[in-house]
Amino acid sequence: MIGLGKMGANMTRRLLQGGHAVVGFDLDADTVRALQDEGAGGATTLKALVDQLEPPRVLWIMVPAGDPVDQTIDSLVPLVEAGDILIDGGNSNYKDSVRRGKELKAEGLHYVDVGTSGGVWGLEQGYSMMVGGSDEAVGVLRPALETLAPGPEKGWGHMGPVGSGHFVKMVHNGIEYGIMQAYAEGFDILQAKEAFGLDVHQVAETWRFGSVIRSWLLDLTSRALAEDQELPGVAPWVDDSGEGRWTVQEAIDLDVPAPVITDALLARLDSRVEASYTHKLLAAMRNQFGGHAIKDAGS
């Protein structure tokens, strides 16, 4: 596992719990040491990582999208052998994945893109994984994917060729934008109806059971509201990490109308210039499911 951030470290732990042999790589020695104490192998250089693995090697990359992925791959190519498998489990643009797959195929290497959802809760509940790659490579990875998923036959799937995993994850995140926006706007309406003095946390708890809009995101919304429904420490600033923009652009390119996802993206951009409870709750939800940082209300 290359990149032992929060998700990479937790994926390593889940694999260890499933009886898999895992070597973790990170530039931070303390992070590597912590996982070694839990039974993983460890390395602070890519060469040391590769040297600990038997061919055909499986190298799972969990670093930020863009140049960090390309730089990691460029550093790995001289160290690995034909038949080895490189996986990008981050939120890369699917077009980059298609390009990387072609480049690595020319080197005799397999490339697999795994769109991964589950955030900070994946260790406990399993990860949803959307996999793109050849049948041969995905077949090799199946035992690990079955361990990482919520169950061997659920929560993960082979979507198609290289690029398809990140394409499906991109659309997944676009849908996520729309659902989050609808919840946040609805709770803003509830909170604004001062005449009824509504307890919006109580409303969330009521909707969580039996209602047609119950969901994991609603569970996390309720969790965010439980501490203080006024969200005093949360600034109404909602970041976006790219996937919503890519989804909207793809919809335009394909002549597919996607007004809900587009409006949700625009609302996030608007949050950076206009304060509202809607935006505060969106920021709180992102923190709940993904551990994304909250901009402090006083900054």
Side-chain angles (χ1 to χ4, degrees):
M1 185 69 65
I2 298 170
L4 298 177
K6 197 172 294 184
M7 184 176 283
N10 281 345
M11 294 178 80
T12 299
R13 292 185 175 98
R14 191 167 175 92
L15 288 169
L16 288 171
Q17 291 171 2
H20 298 272
V22 189
V23 180
F25 163 83
D26 199 273
L27 294 175
D28 182 68
D30 290 338
T31 300
V32 173
R33 197 173 301 114
L35 281 176
Q36 285 178 303
D37 291 342
E38 297 179 41
T44 53
T45 69
L46 290 176
K47 185 177 187 309
L49 171 72
V50 171
D51 287 346
Q52 292 182 60
L53 301 174
E54 295 291 332
R57 303 172 183 86
V58 175
L59 297 133
W60 194 307
I61 302 167
M62 292 296 289
V63 300
D67 287 342
V69 179
D70 285 320
Q71 291 169 12
T72 302
I73 290 172
D74 289 345
S75 297
L76 283 171
V77 167
L79 303 174
V80 296
E81 302 174 12
D84 288 351
I85 301 172
L86 274 63
I87 306 166
D88 179 7
N91 280 326
S92 290
N93 189 304
Y94 81 94
K95 295 177 182 178
D96 287 336
S97 296
V98 171
R99 169 182 57 80
R100 291 166 184 147
K102 291 178 180 177
E103 293 171 351
L104 291 174
K105 185 176 181 180
E107 300 284 344
L109 300 167
H110 296 285
Y111 185 75
V112 177
D113 54 297
V114 179
T116 309
S117 181
V120 296
W121 297 89
L123 174 61
E124 176 185 339
Q125 299 184 10
Y127 298 90
S128 174
M129 293 169 293
M130 297 136 266
V131 184
S134 68
D135 291 340
E136 179 184 355
V138 175
V140 172
L141 299 177
R142 177 177 286 273
L145 295 170
E146 290 179 345
T147 296
L148 289 168
E153 303 299 330
K154 63 182 180 181
W156 78 277
H158 185 188
M159 302 293 113
V162 171
S164 63
H166 281 148
F167 181 82
V168 174
K169 178 57 162 55
M170 175 191 75
V171 177
H172 163 284
N173 282 29
I175 293 169
E176 177 187 287
Y177 278 38
I179 295 172
M180 291 172 65
Q181 186 68 28
Y183 278 135
E185 290 177 6
F187 278 96
D188 199 357
I189 295 168
L190 294 170
Q191 196 243 13
K193 188 63 174 177
E194 295 179 359
F196 288 152
L198 296 170
D199 180 334
V200 292
H201 175 250
Q202 180 192 37
V203 173
E205 282 295 294
T206 301
W207 286 349
R208 284 182 61 216
F209 304 97
S211 90
V212 297
I213 62 168
R214 64 188 183 273
S215 72
W216 186 47
L217 278 173
L218 182 59
D219 295 342
L220 297 177
T221 300
S222 179
R223 190 171 183 264
L225 293 170
E227 298 176 13
D228 188 330
Q229 57 189 269
E230 295 300 322
L231 306 174
V234 181
W237 170 288
V238 188
D239 204 358
D240 73 283
S241 49
E243 297 89 341
R245 298 179 187 224
W246 302 337
T247 304
V248 171
Q249 185 59 60
E250 196 69 28
I252 293 169
D253 292 345
L254 295 171
D255 293 326
V256 175
V260 171
I261 295 173
T262 303
D263 285 349
L265 171 63
L266 294 177
R268 292 195 177 197
L269 301 180
D270 183 57
S271 77
R272 297 160 203 181
V273 294
E274 178 185 331
S276 78
Y277 189 81
T278 298
H279 299 137
K280 292 176 72 169
L281 189 52
L282 280 170
M285 274 191 271
R286 291 184 83 246
N287 175 259
Q288 287 292 327
F289 73 74
H292 301 290
I294 288 175
K295 187 179 178 70
D296 188 81
S299 61

